[in-house]
Amino acid sequence: MNSLVIAIVVTLMSFIAPLWILHLRAINNVDTRDLKSATLTRDGWKIPSAMTATLLLVPLLIYSQLGRFNEWDKGFIDENIDYLIAADINKNAQAASETPSNKIALLNLAYAYTEGGLYRESVVTLDKLLAIETDAEVLGMKANALYYRDGRDMSKEVADAISQALALDPNEVQSLLLMATHAYLNRDFQQAIVYWQQLLNSDNPSINRASINNAILKAEQKIANRIVTASE
C-alpha cells in the first residue's frame, strides 16, 4: 500500500477516534475512563459508522483521482482535458494568435498543450518557437512532446531533438530527464542513474534534487534485486 495512503488513514483515525469516544460516552452516560464497560445499541452504531466511512472514504477517493505523485514515469495522452486546462489553452492560443512572434506567448501555449496531454499541438507550437530562435530548453520540450506523442518511443526525431538540445547545453534538464526516464522504463537502470547523476552534478538550481535522489535510490534497488535474483 502506498505510504501516503497509510499516512492519510492514520491521520484521519486520530480525528475519528475522539469522536467515537464522545459518542460512546453520550450513549452510555459513562466516564471516559470506564469506556470498556460501555456498549452501543444497534441504532447507536449508525451515525458514527456513517461518519467514519465518510471521513475515510472521501479523502481516499479524492487521492485516488488526484494523488499521482509517484507516477513520474507514466506520461500519456489525455483526450479528456480538464476545463481549467482547456480555458488556459484557449487563453494562450488567443494570445499567440494576436502576437504570433511573441516567444513568451508561444511558450505558454506549448506548456498548456503539454499540460492537457495534447502533445501533437505542443510540437507544432514549439516548432513555431524554434523558427524564431533556437533554444536548448525549447528543443528539450519538443523532444518530450514527441516522445509522449508517439507513445514513449525514442524515435530518430526524438533523438535528433535531444542531440540538438545537448549540443547547445550539455546539461539541458528536460533532455536528460527524458533519457533517464526512457532508460529506466527499458530496465537500463544503470544508464538512468548516469543521466540523473549528471543532472545532480550540474548545480542547476531549477531541478528537483529530492525527486532525482529518490529515483536513483529506486533504480539502485532494482539493480540490487536483479543481482539477488541472478544469484539464486
Side-chain angles (χ1 to χ4, degrees):
M1 181 180 289
N2 190 299
S3 59
L4 185 55
V5 173
I6 297 175
I8 291 173
V9 172
V10 171
T11 302
L12 290 173
M13 289 305 299
S14 69
F15 288 98
I16 293 171
L19 296 177
W20 268 94
I21 292 174
L22 291 174
H23 184 74
L24 192 60
R25 182 182 179 186
I27 291 294
N28 294 274
N29 195 25
V30 298
D31 188 271
T32 54
R33 290 169 298 182
D34 192 31
L35 287 177
K36 289 184 179 180
S37 63
T39 59
L40 284 175
T41 65
R42 179 176 299 179
D43 290 339
W45 281 99
K46 293 181 179 179
I47 294 177
S49 297
M51 177 182 65
T52 300
T54 300
L55 289 176
L56 283 175
L57 294 178
V58 171
L60 292 176
L61 180 61
I62 294 173
Y63 170 74
S64 70
Q65 298 299 314
L66 302 178
R68 307 294 187 179
F69 307 114
N70 62 336
E71 296 185 1
W72 53 268
D73 56 350
K74 295 180 175 62
F76 63 93
I77 297 176
D78 185 3
E79 300 295 345
N80 301 309
I81 306 175
D82 183 272
Y83 74 95
L84 291 177
I85 296 177
D88 193 41
I89 289 173
N90 290 333
K91 180 188 71 174
N92 287 300
Q94 182 177 352
S97 176
E98 293 172 351
T99 55
S101 60
N102 187 314
K103 292 184 289 186
I104 299 299
L106 289 170
L107 187 61
N108 288 338
L109 179 57
Y111 272 122
Y113 278 138
T114 300
E115 189 72 16
L118 299 177
Y119 299 110
R120 187 181 306 277
E121 290 80 357
S122 181
V123 170
V124 172
T125 305
L126 291 168
D127 279 337
K128 292 178 181 178
L129 189 54
L130 289 168
I132 299 172
E133 180 184 9
T134 302
D135 181 85
E137 183 179 351
V138 175
L139 284 164
M141 286 181 62
K142 179 181 176 180
N144 276 270
L146 288 167
Y147 181 77
Y148 289 111
R149 182 198 69 181
D150 299 336
R152 295 200 293 264
D153 178 30
M154 186 60 73
S155 64
K156 183 179 183 303
E157 195 174 5
V158 175
D160 286 345
I162 291 175
S163 296
Q164 293 176 53
L166 295 179
L168 294 172
D169 179 3
N171 294 315
E172 200 286 306
V173 175
Q174 296 193 68
S175 297
L176 290 174
L177 285 176
L178 175 58
M179 290 192 295
T181 298
H182 182 73
Y184 184 92
L185 291 174
N186 286 275
R187 306 186 65 78
D188 190 352
F189 305 120
Q190 191 59 57
Q191 186 60 60
I193 291 173
V194 170
Y195 293 133
W196 283 321
Q197 194 61 56
Q198 183 178 341
L199 282 169
L200 292 177
N201 294 339
S202 69
D203 295 326
N204 189 323
S206 68
I207 64 174
N208 188 328
R209 294 183 175 276
S211 294
I212 293 176
N213 280 319
N214 286 337
I216 289 175
L217 289 174
K218 188 175 180 180
E220 288 175 340
Q221 185 61 54
K222 295 284 187 181
I223 293 173
N225 292 341
R226 178 183 290 172
I227 293 173
V228 170
T229 301
S231 64
E232 292 178 349

